[in-house]
Amino acid sequence: MTTMLSSGFAKKFMLRQRNASQIIPYSRGSRFLSDSTRTSSATMSLRDNANASTETLPDADRRTGSEASKTAAYLDLAKARLSALVVTTTAAGFVAAGGPLSDQAALAGCCIVGTALCSSSAAAFNQIFEIDRDSKMKRTQKRPLVVNTLSVQEATTAAAVWGISGTSILALGTDPVTASLGLANIGLYAGIYTYMKPRSIYNTWVGAVVGAIPPVMGWTAATGGSLLDLDAMLLGTTLYLWQMPHFFCAQLHAPSRLQARWICHASCVGVGW
């Protein structure tokens, strides 16, 4: 009897030990899996938040970069540095007229702003018409229309807005003669000069007229439209003649680049054109 009780007790004890050995690892494993799952979830959550942050910041940076790129593209479209030189010669013509700037500040401002907008419009239309030729010359291969920073529609809209605004400012803020010169210069540069560049060596002489008109505009604005004054003619003639050596030297030192753009220049005639 005692032996049977001892044997039964031993079996129950062994069964309990076996069950306990099965339960304890499972329990510990459950806690381990639970802790591991919570840790993994927390890690994934942090990664998601980090990814969200890292995705948001580049988007903001890209938007800022895109806006800056657009601004730079429009400045390139307007040939901002060239337009600044045009404004400088216009201001010189205005000052040469001798009027007191303190009394003519508004007039001078309208003349300068209107001329800058007209110059920007002419430069933009020029690039619209010369996309193919600009793509063939290293110096112009990064222009906004060549690299598609701006679309042709965007450039055309900007050119039209600048041209209309500039001419209107000149007409309302200065006089009809100055406004007519501004409008004529847009047509002369974007139209006749651009058309002649690949077709005739005389485009240089026409292009020089475009550069000679701004100081005359400054003079006429300051004097109420005195276009035929000897001083106005002298200003225009001086700047016209000053441009020729510059153009010819530039053409003489870069005939291959000019030929790549199909540009006809007088100085290229003697080097195999």
Side-chain angles (χ1 to χ4, degrees), residues 1-15:
M1 183 69 176
T2 304
T3 305
M4 292 177 62
L5 290 173
S6 299
S7 176
F9 179 80
K11 289 181 180 180
K12 289 182 179 180
F13 179 78
M14 291 178 64
L15 179 62

Side-chain angles (χ1 to χ4, degrees), residues 4-245:
M4 292 177 62
L5 290 173
S6 299
S7 176
F9 179 80
K11 289 181 180 180
K12 289 182 179 180
F13 179 78
M14 291 178 64
L15 179 62
R16 287 179 181 177
Q17 289 289 355
R18 186 173 60 187
N19 291 338
S21 65
Q22 292 175 353
I23 292 170
I24 290 170
Y26 176 76
S27 174
R28 289 177 179 175
S30 298
R31 287 197 298 269
F32 174 78
L33 289 174
S34 178
D35 292 340
S36 177
T37 302
R38 284 197 297 269
T39 303
S40 178
S41 299
T43 304
M44 290 177 64
S45 178
L46 290 172
R47 285 179 179 175
D48 290 340
N49 292 334
N51 289 337
S53 299
T54 55
E55 287 174 2
T56 301
L57 289 175
D59 287 342
D61 291 342
R62 281 196 293 270
R63 285 195 296 271
T64 302
S66 178
E67 291 172 0
S69 178
K70 279 285 186 182
T71 301
Y74 278 112
L75 289 174
D76 287 341
L77 183 69
K79 296 184 181 178
R81 288 184 294 180
L82 179 61
S83 295
L85 292 174
V86 170
V87 168
T88 301
T89 60
T90 303
F94 191 95
V95 172
L101 292 178
S102 57
D103 296 338
Q104 296 180 309
L107 181 63
C110 289
C111 178
I112 289 172
V113 173
T115 302
L117 289 170
C118 287
S119 176
S120 300
S121 175
F125 278 122
N126 170 262
Q127 291 183 61
I128 291 169
F129 298 143
E130 290 199 311
I131 297 175
D132 290 339
R133 289 198 291 273
D134 283 344
S135 66
K136 294 178 173 63
M137 186 173 178
K138 184 176 181 180
R139 184 177 63 84
T140 57
Q141 283 177 347
K142 294 184 179 180
R143 284 182 173 173
L145 292 177
V146 177
V147 297
N148 293 321
T149 308
L150 294 175
S151 66
V152 175
Q153 183 177 359
E154 289 174 324
T156 303
T157 300
V161 170
W162 291 339
I164 294 171
S165 300
T167 305
S168 299
I169 290 173
L170 291 174
L172 297 174
T174 60
D175 58 85
V177 174
T178 306
S180 298
L181 289 174
L183 181 61
N185 231 19
I186 295 174
L188 191 61
Y189 184 76
I192 299 175
Y193 170 68
T194 300
Y195 175 81
M196 291 180 65
K197 282 174 74 174
R199 295 174 175 85
S200 173
I201 63 173
Y202 296 107
N203 70 81
T204 303
W205 280 265
V206 174
V209 174
V210 175
I213 288 179
V216 178
M217 292 174 63
W219 181 276
T220 58
T223 58
S226 300
L227 179 60
L228 300 179
D229 287 352
L230 180 61
D231 295 328
M233 295 182 181
L234 183 61
L235 280 171
T237 302
T238 300
L239 196 55
Y240 179 87
L241 295 176
W242 174 84
Q243 293 176 86
M244 307 310 284

